[in-house]
Amino acid sequence: MNKPLILVVEDDSSVRNLISTTLKTNDYRYLVAVTGEAAIMEASSHNPDIILLDLGLPDMDGVQVIKKIRTWSNLPIIVISARSEDSDKIQALDEGADDYLTKPFSVEELLARLRVTQRRLSYMTSEMLTASSVFVNGKLTIDYAGGCASMDGQELHLTPIEYKLLCLLSKNVGKVLTHTYITQNIWGRSWENDVASLRVFMATLRKKLEAAPDSPQYIQTHIGVGYRMMKVE
Ligand code: CA
């Protein structure tokens, strides 16, 4: 496989240098853009494998960049935000970003996020090739056509909402889904109560799914943001 090509969109030169040095020493190819406009242009002309996108850009909001790119491409976008931009981060995920990094972040964190995204990418590609209606992740199997799920060969007894939740997370494996995105998909709305019930359903689903619900292997919690199903080897 070719070295993955990463588009780095960041106007802060020290962060940009940290990222590009990390990419170079870890066998990635990269391109850089300093403005939102340049990012959109580079994304359309070079078709990168992953975009690392700062949300605070000099010419436009990073969320606008995501909206624009999502009109023609589903390529993975990892947003980079400062802690003070938490609501922007959630908006970015709602607009179709795949994951996020919060500044300041370590080199290890950056590389870990890239690996998660690459695993998701290769999984999506193999899924598309087989067009299978059965989802397999570690010991978890979901038979979408049959409407049932099993863990290590044992059928999981899930309520309709738990099953819907599990399907939604599995169809977006590797991607962080926001509370709003999930409640919109499950209940068709997103009221404060729905987020509270989501937490309850997620807890019961996890009890059935995870061998050790306190250190979950399949479903990650992103406090104040949402949930993600991890690709389990
Ligand atoms: Ca910035």
Side-chain angles (χ1 to χ4, degrees):
M1 211 175 119
N2 269 340
K3 291 180 183 180
L5 177 64
I6 317 292
L7 171 59
V8 182
V9 187
E10 172 63 77
D11 61 319
D12 180 333
S13 60
S14 60
V15 181
R16 199 169 60 234
N17 290 339
L18 168 75
I19 297 175
S20 42
T21 309
T22 306
L23 293 176
K24 207 179 338 185
T25 50
N26 286 277
D27 239 16
Y28 289 96
R29 294 177 298 143
Y30 67 92
L31 291 161
V32 295
V34 179
T35 63
E37 202 175 332
I40 293 165
M41 223 174 63
E42 295 288 347
S44 67
S45 54
H46 290 99
N47 197 27
D49 296 299
I50 299 171
I51 301 183
L52 286 168
L53 174 69
D54 177 31
L55 287 180
L57 295 169
D59 59 335
M60 65 175 93
D61 197 321
V63 174
Q64 299 305 318
V65 178
I66 299 172
K67 280 190 184 166
K68 200 82 182 198
I69 290 175
R70 281 290 174 259
T71 61
W72 85 84
S73 172
N74 272 322
L75 76 109
I77 300 174
I78 303 173
V79 296
I80 303 171
S81 68
R83 240 167 250 289
S84 58
E85 298 166 330
D86 257 8
S87 58
D88 300 3
K89 172 173 86 190
I90 291 171
Q91 201 196 344
L93 290 165
D94 278 335
E95 289 299 339
D98 293 70
D99 202 350
Y100 60 89
L101 271 166
T102 307
K103 286 182 201 175
F105 53 84
S106 67
V107 164
E108 288 72 28
E109 257 182 291
L110 169 63
L111 291 171
R113 294 308 159 92
L114 287 172
R115 279 195 300 270
V116 167
T117 305
Q118 282 176 276
R119 269 206 291 277
R120 168 176 156 76
L121 264 181
S122 61
Y123 176 76
M124 297 315 256
T125 317
S126 65
E127 225 5 40
M128 255 153 39
L129 290 175
T130 55
S132 126
S133 67
V134 175
F135 170 86
V136 180
N137 184 15
K139 291 179 175 168
L140 171 68
T141 304
I142 308 172
D143 177 352
Y144 294 131
C148 56
S150 61
M151 181 60 80
D152 211 4
Q154 296 287 334
E155 190 178 344
L156 293 169
H157 299 286
L158 303 176
T159 65
I161 296 228
E162 288 165 356
Y163 180 71
K164 255 176 119 173
L165 263 174
L166 185 65
C167 289
L168 183 66
L169 289 161
S170 67
K171 286 177 176 161
N172 293 282
V173 64
K175 184 166 173 168
V176 179
L177 302 181
T178 62
H179 295 136
T180 313
Y181 182 87
I182 298 174
T183 55
Q184 288 283 3
N185 269 273
I186 304 289
W187 290 288
R189 54 174 201 224
S190 189
W191 298 344
E192 212 163 301
N193 279 346
D194 297 327
V195 177
S197 354
L198 172 60
R199 211 163 283 139
V200 175
F201 282 112
M202 204 55 98
T204 60
L205 172 60
R206 266 187 174 148
K207 263 191 208 141
K208 299 177 182 180
L209 205 64
E210 305 279 3
D214 291 337
S215 50
Q217 198 185 3
Y218 290 92
I219 303 173
Q220 252 184 4
T221 301
H222 290 251
I223 294 165
V225 178
Y227 299 92
R228 154 160 59 196
M229 180 178 284
M230 296 298 287
K231 184 82 190 81
V232 177
E233 296 306 317

